[in-house]
Amino acid sequence: MTAFRLISLPTHGALELVAGIALVGMAVALGIPVEGAIAAALAGAIMVGMAFAKAVESVPVRTQYDHDWGLAFALVGAAILLGIAGQPIAMLLFGVTALAQLGLNLVTRYSAAR
């Protein structure tokens, strides 16, 4: 299982930063309605904050692992709720972001920097 742990935690943080900014930017670019755009702005801000926490190592590694999985499941939940609310483009955007976060979680080595 550890063979798939290819990237370090700081690299994960950098990619998460890009994903958070992209989530907000794509919501605006795709013209998502206000409710979806607000959800995207909040989720993007949370992702950027989590990325910065990885950069300065202000949170224990185990807590970062738990938060990353919580974020992936929250993004899936948001996609489902947006789909129920009748916003298919926002649902797709959140679904793709959830898959990206899930992929990051699966390939990250969660270990303290040496």
Side-chain angles (χ1 to χ4, degrees):
M1 178 158 222
T2 57
F4 294 110
R5 305 299 180 163
L6 305 174
I7 64 172
S8 66
L9 200 53
T11 303
H12 175 112
L15 294 172
E16 195 170 55
L17 176 68
V18 171
I21 293 170
L23 177 61
V24 177
M26 289 300 293
V28 173
L30 293 172
I32 292 176
V34 174
E35 299 86 2
I38 290 172
L42 290 173
I46 290 169
M47 289 179 78
V48 168
M50 289 174 63
F52 284 142
K54 286 174 184 64
V56 296
E57 299 176 1
S58 63
V59 179
V61 174
R62 176 62 193 194
T63 305
Q64 291 178 359
Y65 174 84
D66 293 339
H67 288 170
D68 285 339
W69 281 100
L71 176 62
F73 290 125
L75 288 168
V76 169
I80 292 169
L81 289 175
L82 288 165
I84 292 170
Q87 296 189 23
I89 296 172
M91 178 187 71
L92 182 63
L93 178 62
F94 272 79
V96 168
T97 306
L99 285 175
Q101 182 66 38
L102 176 64
L104 276 176
N105 293 351
L106 291 175
V107 299
T108 299
R109 266 187 331 265
Y110 286 94
S111 58
R114 294 181 181 144

